[in-house]
Amino acid sequence: MKFSEQWLREWVSPQLGTQALADQITMAGLEVDAVAPVAATFAGVVVAEVLERTPHPDADKLSLCRVDDGSGEPVQVVCGAPNVAAGQRVPFARVGAVLPGDFKIKKAKLRGQESRGMICSASELGLEEETSPGILELPGSAPVGEDFRAWLGLDDHTIEVDLTPNRGDCLSLKGLAREVGVLNRLPVTGPEVVAVPATHDETFPVRVEDGERCPRYLGRLIKGVDVAAETPLWMVERLRRGGVRSIDPVVDVTNYVMLELGQPLHAFDRANLHGAVIVRLAREGERLVLLDGQEVSLDASTLVIADERGPLAIAGVMGGEHSGVSAETRDIFLESAFFTPLAVAGQARTYGLHTDASHRFERGVDPLLAREAAERATALLLEIVGGEAGPLVEVAHAEHLPASRRVMLRAARLEQALGKALPAAEVGEILERLGLVVEAGESGWEAAVPSWRFDLAIEEDLIEEVARIHGYNRLPVRRPQARLGLRPDHEARTPLGRLRRQMVARGYQEAVTYSFVAPELQKALLPEAVSPVLANPISSDLSVMRASLFPGLVRALQHNLNRQQSRVRLFETGLVFRGELDDLAQVPMLGALACGARDPEGWAAGRERVDFFDLKGDLESLLAMGGEADAWRFEPAQHPALHPGQSARLLHRGEEAGWIGTLHPAVRAELGLKVDAVLFEVRLDALTQGRVPAFTPLSRYPEVRRDLAFLVDEDLPVQALLDTLRGQAGEWLGECRLFDVYQGKGVPEGRKSVALGLTWQHPSRTLNDEEINELVDAIVNESRQHLGAELRG
């Protein structure tokens, strides 16, 4: 929100300098982003009148002008502007004037003709950024000889305020003036708004079909307007200083009232309205060409202003091109309405728009302001473009208008929150200055909230208001006191920090991605996933809550590959969201992704690419940190995002805990990835579980080792053989290590050789050969009976 300091001081003018005023507004919670002069520095420019214009005798594009600058004697000026004409009032730089850029005006001869000064354009005076097509024409009432800078009030500043979304009431000069008045205990005096009497009886029918989204709609027919009239310079300047470009007098008036009062308005060309103005939801397939020339296909959830033929505007966002005011307009239908914030929220972004109207309606406009704004706009229109105003038609659905709110503020709670006891009279005065109707009681104050303060709903809101108006810098500084005990260290749990450090130690970098992802990306990776869809996403490609860490990691991989990073190692921890809102599971997960070369580039590094087993080794290093590696199992399984035959389900104590595998080739092709990637995700609650470390005495007796090579079916998981072996190897088995898997010459087709090294050790004696042979025989027999394994000769 940008506004002119001079304009603000017409409403309320505290005895503060520009910077002090900006600082005060900032300390009140309305952060000032910038303070800038409204015009560049120049001097020696006055209002002048062009008395005569004749062609230059030696140049087709130049003119000789006689100018009255108020000095008593006309001066001759050579001017190249195509729009200069006799009788005009213009800004004139006398000899000796200094224009922006330290450009000094001197006597000169142009093509042999003397020129004593310069007729200026807006851009030459720093009033426009782009080069002006001609000189700046001033109203006929501009006083000749008056200092142009003083006459136009250019010793002014624009103050730009960055408002938080809850302070929509300050998106107007009226709202900001209210705040400044409250802070300085000054009255606020705005322009008097009176009802404009109707001079004809004609009305245009209005029908509101969706009273819940549009509880109040007002319209007025103004006949016989002159759209060719010129917007007054004072209004053009105020619009410019508010960051709004002048378009035509009708649009300028609606924009001016929006800046002044905070109520967006819209004017329709009466000739392009048919039947009635209807406020309704769009119908599927309807299209609308907007004022900016963009044609949009309307969604059925969009509130529109329509007539009997079709949509005219997106309610609270932007009008349509066909029904807008044009040079041929003679009668206008002026609209002033209250649309609920939820009706407008997100609609502008849905169509790639962000307008001043949508910005205000999304944050909340005073529901009682529509009539005042319509009357103010009508008066300005009649003054500028003329015409005859008809009756103001109102359609209201009182049951859907925001209900009045009463909020209780307890004195004890206020003192506790502020750390300071404020006098009851001061608290009551602050609330009343803010526009609340206050009733004091024994325990505190009950306040009726004004219609323009959407953000005041609970006790804490009133505490914040009292604190900021009293002054944050006047509150006491107290350091919190607390007796802190040592936090217990659960030895059976692996802290998340240790897991992160382990991943970093293995060459990974932590990624932090959004908790919401593109629906197309999630569907490609998890076609059956169900997760909440955001009602008001920050962008269309971040509109679905993630059901897995895979989409975010894959998106980060794409980002890195597009920037020539061929070796990528990423991991992430965070919540995933599964199910609908009424039955939503939020599961903390740890995921990782690897792509590219196995080792960093170097003279001793090979060129092998990372594969499934590299990532599995990294994951197993995490599983071992809990001290319960035997509680985890990998089993072959199918996952829609992972390559068949190169994917596995991760089980923890028999329950599914995650997935690991290579990205599916079809998914990779759909996403445009040209390289393989391996990835996993595992539940954090299972990963952090473990057992308390316990000491086992070291045996002083020798170990006994036996190596066994089994021939088994090639599809048999080695884990099945290990489970069978451990079940028969007895309690003294210390280690079982897989050291070879072989297929080829000497091994029948369809079979594989699995070689295992088994080590036994007794804590109190030496094991003899008979005991070991008995255990080996039991292992071989059990493996033969249940797994079809044979001992390889």
Side-chain angles (χ1 to χ4, degrees), residues 101 110 210 278 353 373 489 534 784:
L110 299 175
D210 196 331
I278 308 166
L353 303 169
D489 185 8
L534 300 180
R784 182 183 298 115

Side-chain angles (χ1 to χ4, degrees), residues 580-604:
E580 300 293 351
L581 278 176
D582 55 354
D583 186 27
L584 183 63
Q586 302 183 56
V587 185
M589 305 287 285
L590 185 148
L593 178 146
C595 172
R598 176 173 294 155
D599 300 309
E601 185 177 7
W603 66 271

Side-chain angles (χ1 to χ4, degrees), residues 14 106 127 198 210 265 270 288 312 323 464 585 742:
K106 303 176 182 178
L127 301 180
D210 196 331
L265 303 168
R270 166 65 182 84
L288 176 64
L312 304 171
S323 62
E464 179 185 2
Y742 171 73

